Every structure is written in structure tokens, then in C-alpha cells.
Amino acid sequence: MNKQALTYDDIQLVPSYSNVSSRRNIDLSTPLTKRYGIHIPLVASCMDTVCETEMAIALAEMGGVGCIHRFMGIEHQAAEVKATADAFVSLNLAAVWKLEESAFAIKQIPLIASVGANGDYLERAIELVKAGANIILIDVAHGHHENVKQALQTLRSTLPVHVDLIAGNIASAKAAQDLEAWGADCLRTGVGGGSLCTTRLKTGFGVPNVTCLQEVIAVTSIPVMADGGIRTSGDISKALALGSCSVMLGSLIAGTKEAPGQIIEKTGGLYKRYRGAASLETKSVHGQERRNVEGESTVIPFKGGVKFVVESLLDGVRSALSYGGANNLKEFKPEYVQVTNAGLAEARPHLIF
Ligand code: XMP
């Protein structure tokens, strides 16, 4: 065995001296990529039941960002990107984002769309950028791969200089060093920890999220996006405390009104579908070969508008910064301890009969 690895439930943050006068004044702005920033550290995942135009607009209105997924034809995806870019203009989002006054790296509203690392990825990326995307995310399950190296180098030399590249997913220090050297502007970090992932069961590969983030963050100077397995605002806070610049959300915002898909009514409740990008359902719906399945699909309760969900997550994160004595994410570097199963049980409401 090489070493022990930890995940979010294995640690708790230690409260530190605080002079935060009001949680309302806490600044959650953060780098997203080398050249782009966001006002809140939340990114909607590039999954077909999480982010298309409606979710991308809703997240941007709150100062975050969504990544428009690639499980559709190039023209269709470019139209989703264009509709998002047009909405940014007609909403006058630039004023909401206070671009003129913004400090670090928030000079332009980010608009992310994903591509693969082979097939039509180059043509797709070119069309997405023409439609208004300024960040391309190379959406690959195993990002420490020759195909990603080629894709990064090709996209870097083909796309205009204002376009940043997010690459992943990765789970090791060596992968972080390589992807940074290959031209990535942000590292999407986390393998096999997502709520619907079966990668670890199917292949035995993957690294629990806390250790995964530590390995990557220790060796890189570019922003890290923590992706997969985030279930609560406490998990978001832990990922940020470890040094992630942003977190990518799937299950937490799936099931909202803005997530793609119909509301399903059954047994007296309202639901929406949420499916893994590598699930049998996603592969079947998009006419892909029904092999190499590494994800599940399910229905989750309908949650209403995403604004309410995000606001309550941000309440938790702002509270975390207050416990950590931090007025902004740069200052948020609390110590943490490893907990036992007894500590984990104590952390949850335990007066339940
Ligand atoms: P959460 O936990 O937020 O995770 O729902 C979302 C992330 O999970 C990843 N993802 C997958 N991983 N098989 C996997 O192994 C899949 O089918 C799959 N679909 C999504 C992805 O990184 C996403 O952002």
C-alpha cells in the first residue's frame, strides 16, 4: 500500500479567531481559470441533466458559471452557447458583474462549453468559440492521457488567445504537472467520486477527494476545480479550504427547474432525471455504443428554482468563512483534523429516534 487517502467525511475544519463582522460582507470571488474569475465559486457540471442555456444563465446571474455539455450535435451546442451569450447581453449582465470595478481576473463574463478529446472536438471547439464561448472544457474521464495532451496543444494553437482551457479529470500530482505543462488553464480534479460514478467499482481506480485535491494543489500554480462527490455546503467549504478555487456541482443542482429535462410526476411527488455522463441511459439516449458504462442514472426530487438552492449553499459557505476567520477566499486557510467514525456520527444530527 502506498498511503492512506481521505475524503470529505474524514476531515473537519477547525474554527479559528474571526473578526468577520457580517457574513453578508464576505467576498466569495475566485479565479476560475488563468484569465477568468467568478463572483461565487460554483460551476454547473457539463452533464446533459445539469447544464444547458437555462442553467448557464441562472448561474451567471448569481455570479457563477455553467458548462454547456457536449452530448448533442455541434450546431445544437453552438446554438445553446449563442443563446447564453445573447442573454448575457440583453440582461446587461456586465453591469450585474460590475466588470469595470472587479478586481482579480473578472474582466469578462466566462462562458464555458465542453468538448471531448478526439473525433470532432476541434471543429466543435471552433464553432463554440464563434458562438461566444471563451472557455473550452476538455471533458474526459481520464484526463492524464495522450489524447488530452494532443487536444490541449491543438486547441491552444488554433483558438484565439482570449480562450482559456479547462482540462481533466485528474487525481495525481504528476497529472497536474503534465496538464499544466501541456497548456491547461484550470485543472478539473476528481476521479470516481461523483454521486453516480461507478468507476471505482468497475475499475478499482480513483482517489478519495481530499487526498486527490491535496496532491494536485500542492504542485500546481493554476486554479483547481474540485469535481464530484460534493453533497453539502460543508463539502464545498472543505474543498475551498484545501485550496480549490471553485467546485463543480452535479447532483446538488440537478433536479432544479433550470436543469434540462421534464418534471416527472409519480406517487404524489415531483422528480427530474439525473444521469451519469457514462451511464447506460446517457449512452442510449445519445446513440452511443452501449459499452464502457461507468455511471448510474436515477430520478431525484424536484427542487424548484436553482437560485434558492445556490443561495442556501452560499449561506453555508459564508458561514464557513466566518468560522475560519476569513473575509474572502484568499484568507480561507483553516486547519483541519482527521475524524474517526465516532466523530463523523457526532457531526450529524444524532437525536433521531
Ligand atoms: P456529483 O457528485 O456532483 O458529481 O453528482 C458530478 C460529477 O460526476 C462526474 N460524472 C461521472 N463520473 N461516471 C463517472 O465515473 C459517470 O457516468 C459520470 N457522470 C458524471 C463528473 O465529473 C461530474 O461533474
Side-chain angles (χ1 to χ4, degrees), residues 13-330:
L13 306 175
V14 179
S16 42
Y17 172 75
S18 180
N19 64 0
V20 175
S21 53
S22 163
R23 286 166 207 186
R24 265 192 220 138
N25 300 334
I26 287 172
D27 175 6
L28 293 179
S29 63
T30 185
L32 171 67
T33 62
K34 261 190 211 163
R35 272 167 291 192
Y36 292 87
I38 38 183
H39 288 297
I40 61 169
L42 306 183
V43 184
S45 182
C46 43
M47 297 167 72
D48 73 346
T49 46
V50 176
C51 188
E52 292 175 356
T53 301
E54 220 185 317
M55 180 65 82
I57 295 169
L59 260 286
E61 281 174 340
M62 290 180 279
V65 67
C67 179
I68 293 173
H69 74 84
R70 64 189 171 91
F71 302 102
M72 53 184 126
I74 294 178
E75 259 181 45
H76 184 176
Q77 192 185 9
E80 295 281 335
V81 168
K82 181 154 188 334
T84 309
D86 289 348
F88 287 1
V89 174
S90 63
L91 282 166
N92 197 9
L93 208 57
V96 177
W97 275 56
K98 299 197 174 88
L99 290 180
E100 296 306 314
E101 299 164 31
S102 283
F104 173 80
I106 311 191
K107 300 290 175 217
Q108 204 184 340
I109 301 166
L111 204 174
I112 319 176
S114 62
V115 300
N118 52 28
D120 65 11
Y121 82 92
L122 180 57
E123 185 195 349
R124 185 177 286 269
I126 290 169
E127 292 307 314
L128 295 171
V129 170
K130 274 194 212 156
N134 47 28
I135 301 176
I136 295 295
L137 183 150
I138 303 171
D139 175 27
V140 175
H142 179 27
H144 197 193
H145 195 284
E146 174 71 19
N147 287 351
V148 173
K149 179 181 184 182
Q150 296 297 336
L152 274 168
Q153 291 172 346
T154 306
L155 291 170
R156 177 60 73 220
S157 61
T158 311
L159 298 177
V161 288
H162 75 277
V163 178
D164 269 3
L165 302 173
I166 300 174
N169 279 33
I170 58 165
S172 72
K174 183 72 176 93
Q177 288 165 328
D178 283 348
L179 267 65
E180 186 174 347
W182 299 340
D185 301 302
C186 167
L187 299 172
R188 186 180 175 211
T189 302
V191 171
S195 60
L196 294 175
C197 296
T198 55
T199 299
R200 292 188 193 167
L201 292 177
K202 229 185 144 172
T203 70
F205 278 84
V207 177
N209 281 320
V210 165
T211 299
C212 178
L213 289 169
Q214 286 171 323
E215 293 287 307
V216 167
I217 288 164
V219 299
T220 189
S221 58
I222 60 175
V224 168
M225 179 188 292
D227 176 31
I230 293 190
R231 304 150 302 169
T232 58
S233 53
D235 288 348
I236 298 175
S237 305
K238 289 173 186 176
L240 297 170
L242 293 166
S244 309
C245 290
S246 63
V247 299
M248 180 170 258
L249 305 179
S251 57
L252 273 181
I253 55 172
T256 57
K257 180 173 85 53
E258 292 80 359
Q262 300 298 314
I263 296 172
I264 304 159
E265 203 175 341
K266 64 169 194 176
T267 54
L270 300 178
Y271 300 85
K272 281 185 102 164
R273 290 208 72 75
Y274 180 45
R275 56 184 175 229
S279 65
L280 191 59
E281 184 176 312
T282 298
K283 286 174 189 278
S284 309
V285 166
H286 301 294
Q288 295 167 359
E289 200 183 7
R290 300 170 77 172
R291 296 185 57 188
N292 301 317
V293 170
E294 284 184 25
E296 297 287 352
S297 50
T298 188
V299 289
I300 57 174
F302 177 60
K303 299 172 186 162
V306 73
K307 190 164 190 271
F308 174 75
V309 174
V310 165
E311 275 171 358
S312 93
L313 292 173
L314 293 178
D315 281 349
V317 175
R318 289 203 173 90
S319 212
L321 265 73
S322 173
Y323 278 106
N327 290 287
N328 54 54
L329 288 175
K330 255 193 206 153

